[in-house]
């Protein structure tokens, strides 16, 4: 089979590994996007690097996908509550800027980080504020179907009318209705009921406000994802992703309202995938409890964004990952070693899918075929990126693999990891390095290149000698020819 192994994904719906078989020619993937009221922090990068791995896995298998990531620029209230202030309005007041300026500024900050981390752009980035009329229609339909009730604070979804409410979160119905939410809302029938529409309090005029059948106000937070995903991916689609916090509330409510709206008795989305949290020195990261590090802090401190990506991929997306300086230092050193080794293999072939990589393998290179198989097994087993990294590193140390075969393995691993190994310049990774930073493998590579260059010069193959000099320069190495032979140093 040339498409690779059967892809297996851990579905939060049912909490088990399942074969992923697309239900359409183009797989719809929706990822809950950022709330653009402040700089995204390092933890916020994890869901998108994880969704990016998923997309690379689909591409590896030759499965076309359409990816939507929403931008929440209205509706998300402080503490995920129904009655609190909108996060964007709070930020606008704090920074003395308009909500539009806040949204535009932090949306750009999010895109900048995505680009720096080599995350494949989504096909669509819908803004919640541009879908409010559709959200109103959606809520009106739910009202018509009898799923709602109106309170002075807004229009609420009655979760007792949703037969499977909370299945995703493994909630026992009665327990959820009583215990999960602490916020008190006057008149709410069940504690799990949530606002579809948040009406303005008398005398308090919201900054972002729309007229609706329930008066002036703003949409509830969960509504946007149901409305925008259905409008861009169709009523049913295959995969919905987000951070694990969403599994407990936001996604539970998205499912309840969407299945009520569709009323066709089918599960709305088939696969729900959730990434675990990034911790900071073993503590939970919370934007609300002060400044938390972001990607720019790392790059300013001399780390390459790809070192952070590599650090993330070094953990499985379903495991908690602890961010420490030590861990990111180690990732930077690994990245430097990888880039250093890969320079000599460039240009890398285009091995973005299993089929393409297989076709490029030299026929007799059993070692390369085995590594390719190892990569395929790893990605198919619920996106096991740590195993892909391990396979990549192993292949680079293997004496039995051909250079051509190694090029294919490296290109294939990189198509899955997205570290940009085809072009990553080792000199850009860490400008502060000195000779003592080089490890034996790097020194060996350099010595070999220097010897190859000497050989090429002996054979008067000047073109080859120049090529090797350029490769060495890319590694940050300067060669000087002396009467007693060439010497080298870091430049
Ligand atoms: P927000 O911008 O707060 O709406 O969050 C954007 C995404 O980041 C959501 O999918 C969250 O689940 C996720 N997220 C927030 N904090 C973390 C963290 N510390 N680790 C991993 N994911 C997180
Ligand atoms: Zn969402």
């Amino acid at each position: 089979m040339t498409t690779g192994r059967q892809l297996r994904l851990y579905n939060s719906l049912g909490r088990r590994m399942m074969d992923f078989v697309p239900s359409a020619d183009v797989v719809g993937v929706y990822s809950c996007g950022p709330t653009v009221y402040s700089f995204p922090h390092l933890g916020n990068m994890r869901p998108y690097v994880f969704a990016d791995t998923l997309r690379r896995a689909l591409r590896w298998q030759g499965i076309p996908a359409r990816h939507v990531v929403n931008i929440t620029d209205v509706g998300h209230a402080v503490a995920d509550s129904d009655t609190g202030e909108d996060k964007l309005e709070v930020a606008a007041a704090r920074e003395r800027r308009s909500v539009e300026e806040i949204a535009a500024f932090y949306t750009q900050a999010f895109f900048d980080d995505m680009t720096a981390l080599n995350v494949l752009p989504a096909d669509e980035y819908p803004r919640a504020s541009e879908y409010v009329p559709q959200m109103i229609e959606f809520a009106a339909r739910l009202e018509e179907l009898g799923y709602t009730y109106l309170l002075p604070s807004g229009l609420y979804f009655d979760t007792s009318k949703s037969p499977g409410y909370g299945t995703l979160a493994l909630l026992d119905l009665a327990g959820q209705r009583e215990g999960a939410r602490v916020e008190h809302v006057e008149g709410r029938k069940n504690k799990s009921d949530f606002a579809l529409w948040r009406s303005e309090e008398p005398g308090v005029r919201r900054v972002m406000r729309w007229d609706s059948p329930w008066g002036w106000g703003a949409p509830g937070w969960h509504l946007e994802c149901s409305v925008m995903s259905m409008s861009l991916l169709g009523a049913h689609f295959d995969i919905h992703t987000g951070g694990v916090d969403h599994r407990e509330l936001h996604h539970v409510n998205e499912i309840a309202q969407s299945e009520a709206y569709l009323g066709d008795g089918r599960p709305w989305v088939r696969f729900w995938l959730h990434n675990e949290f990034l911790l900071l020195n073993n503590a939970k990261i919370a934007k609300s409890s002060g400044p938390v590090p972001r990607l720019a802090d790392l790059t300013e401190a001399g780390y390459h964004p790809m070192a952070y990506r590599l650090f993330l991929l070094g953990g499985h997306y379903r495991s908690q990952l602890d961010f420490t300086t030590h861990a990111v230092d180690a990732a930077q050193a690994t990245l430097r070693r990888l880039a250093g080794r890969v320079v000599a293999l460039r240009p890398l072939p285009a091995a973005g899918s299993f089929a393409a990589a297989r076709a490029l393998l030299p026929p007799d290179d059993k070692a390369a075929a085995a590594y390719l198989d190892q990569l395929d097994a790893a990605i198919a087993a619920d996106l096991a990126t740590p195993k892909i990294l391990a396979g990549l590193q192993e292949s680079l140390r293997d004496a039995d693999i051909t250079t051509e075969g190694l090029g294919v393995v490296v290109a294939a691993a990189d198509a899955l990891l997205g570290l940009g190994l085809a072009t990553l310049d080792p000199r850009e990774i860490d400008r502060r390095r000195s000779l003592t930073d080089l490890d034996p493998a790097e020194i060996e590579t350099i010595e070999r290149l220097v010897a190859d260059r000497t050989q090429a010069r002996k054979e008067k193959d000047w073109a080859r000698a120049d090529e090797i000099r350029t490769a060495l320069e890319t590694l940050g190495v300067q060669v000087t020819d002396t009467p007693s032979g060439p010497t080298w140093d870091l430049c």
Side-chain angles (χ1 to χ4, degrees):
M1 196 169 79
T2 51
T3 54
R5 282 178 176 71
Q6 172 63 53
L7 177 60
R8 288 176 61 75
L9 297 171
Y10 185 84
N11 195 347
S12 295
L13 198 57
R15 304 284 161 101
R16 60 190 174 90
M17 292 281 274
M18 290 181 183
D19 286 356
F20 176 74
V21 181
S23 72
D25 291 344
V26 178
V27 166
V29 180
Y30 184 90
S31 302
C32 285
T35 307
V36 286
Y37 71 109
S38 66
F39 284 115
H41 57 62
L42 287 174
N44 293 133
M45 303 291 104
R46 201 174 187 198
Y48 309 107
V49 171
F50 142 62
D52 186 63
T53 306
L54 172 67
R55 287 189 56 192
R56 290 169 186 273
L58 294 170
R59 191 171 71 178
W60 175 253
Q61 297 228 332
I63 302 172
R66 179 167 157 78
H67 190 204
V68 176
V69 177
N70 65 301
I71 302 291
T72 301
D73 59 358
V74 67
H76 196 169
V78 174
D80 296 349
S81 73
D82 282 333
T83 50
E85 286 179 278
D86 194 290
K87 289 186 178 189
L88 268 101
E89 291 178 11
V90 174
R94 185 185 61 223
E95 299 186 20
R96 295 176 203 282
R97 292 198 273 181
S98 71
V99 282
E100 289 79 12
E101 280 169 337
I102 292 287
F105 181 78
Y106 291 115
T107 302
Q108 191 53 48
F110 170 74
F111 287 146
D112 290 347
D113 285 355
M114 294 296 105
T115 306
L117 286 174
N118 204 21
V119 168
L120 299 168
D123 296 282
E124 302 274 357
Y125 293 101
R127 269 87 171 153
S129 61
E130 291 170 9
Y131 280 79
V132 177
Q134 290 94 316
M135 292 190 227
I136 293 173
E137 277 171 35
F138 191 103
R141 176 73 186 141
L142 289 175
E143 186 176 41
E144 211 174 279
L145 291 167
Y147 281 101
T148 67
Y149 57 91
L150 190 61
L151 296 177
S153 58
L155 183 72
Y156 284 81
F157 185 90
D158 184 347
T159 52
S160 69
K161 300 230 165 105
S162 168
Y165 186 79
T167 308
L168 179 72
L170 303 181
L171 297 177
D172 102 66
L173 267 184
Q176 156 74 2
R177 292 219 186 90
E178 287 321 305
R181 304 287 298 279
V182 279
E183 181 194 11
H184 175 75
V185 177
E186 198 58 49
R188 189 156 60 180
K189 293 186 188 168
N190 311 288
K191 277 194 174 163
S192 53
D193 294 354
F194 56 91
L196 296 165
W197 189 258
R198 299 173 303 130
S199 305
E200 269 177 359
E201 278 174 48
V204 183
R205 192 185 160 103
R206 283 182 189 278
V207 179
M208 290 181 284
R209 59 201 297 269
W210 289 263
D211 199 5
S212 81
W214 319 284
W216 284 87
W221 170 42
H222 314 294
L223 204 48
E224 62 168 286
C225 288
S226 292
V227 168
M228 298 194 287
S229 64
M230 283 193 206
S231 116
L232 294 166
L233 296 171
H236 293 278
F237 54 95
D238 277 339
I239 307 178
H240 200 323
T241 75
V244 70
D245 51 335
H246 288 343
R247 190 184 67 190
E248 312 305 321
L249 175 74
H250 179 51
H251 290 168
V252 165
N253 292 344
E254 278 189 41
I255 292 175
Q257 68 197 7
S258 299
E259 294 185 354
Y261 176 88
L262 293 169
D264 57 9
R266 286 171 55 198
W268 172 43
V269 174
R270 295 164 60 229
F271 279 77
W272 291 83
L273 270 51
H274 294 102
N275 64 275
E276 252 300 344
F277 262 46
L278 178 83
L279 308 178
L280 190 57
N281 297 318
N282 273 315
K284 204 170 172 229
I285 296 178
K287 273 192 221 174
S288 46
S289 60
V292 271
R294 57 191 182 99
L295 194 60
D297 296 321
L298 284 191
T299 49
E300 272 159 33
Y303 295 100
H304 194 282
M306 284 303 116
Y308 183 62
R309 180 172 176 113
L310 190 138
F311 158 76
L312 287 177
L313 296 171
H316 186 254
Y317 77 90
R318 280 196 295 117
S319 303
Q320 286 190 343
L321 190 59
D322 192 25
F323 179 87
T324 59
T325 311
H326 180 70
V328 79
D329 276 338
Q332 176 108 327
T334 305
L335 183 71
R336 195 199 304 134
R337 268 198 300 279
L338 283 175
R341 281 287 281 113
V342 167
V343 165
L345 301 169
R346 288 178 185 160
L348 293 180
S353 69
F354 182 68
R358 271 296 282 272
L360 286 165
L361 274 184
D364 297 328
D365 194 335
K366 289 206 178 64
Y371 285 116
L372 206 56
D373 191 57
Q374 195 178 329
L375 300 184
D376 184 52
I379 197 71
D382 197 27
L383 321 176
T385 51
K387 289 194 178 144
I388 298 173
L389 258 176
L392 170 64
Q393 287 170 302
E394 228 178 281
S395 69
L396 286 165
R397 286 193 300 265
D398 196 321
D400 293 331
I401 195 165
T402 64
T403 307
E404 200 188 340
L406 184 58
V408 176
V409 171
V410 168
D414 200 42
L416 294 168
L417 298 172
L419 295 170
L421 294 179
T423 54
L424 196 62
D425 185 343
R427 288 169 304 183
E428 292 295 318
I429 294 173
D430 189 351
R431 294 177 173 281
R432 301 161 306 171
R433 72 202 205 122
S434 65
L435 278 177
T436 49
D437 288 324
L438 297 180
D439 63 30
E442 277 179 296
I443 293 175
E444 203 189 301
T445 308
I446 295 168
E447 306 269 39
R448 211 184 53 229
L449 285 168
V450 172
D452 287 352
R453 178 173 168 274
T454 309
Q455 185 62 31
R457 283 167 63 90
K458 252 191 210 147
E459 292 165 8
K460 301 204 184 323
D461 187 350
W462 309 117
R464 173 87 190 124
D466 278 353
E467 229 174 77
I468 299 174
R469 176 189 281 280
T470 311
L472 282 162
E473 278 170 7
T474 317
L475 284 173
V477 175
Q478 181 75 49
V479 206
T480 316
D481 293 298
T482 71
S484 54
T487 61
W488 62 269
D489 202 351
L490 295 179
C491 49

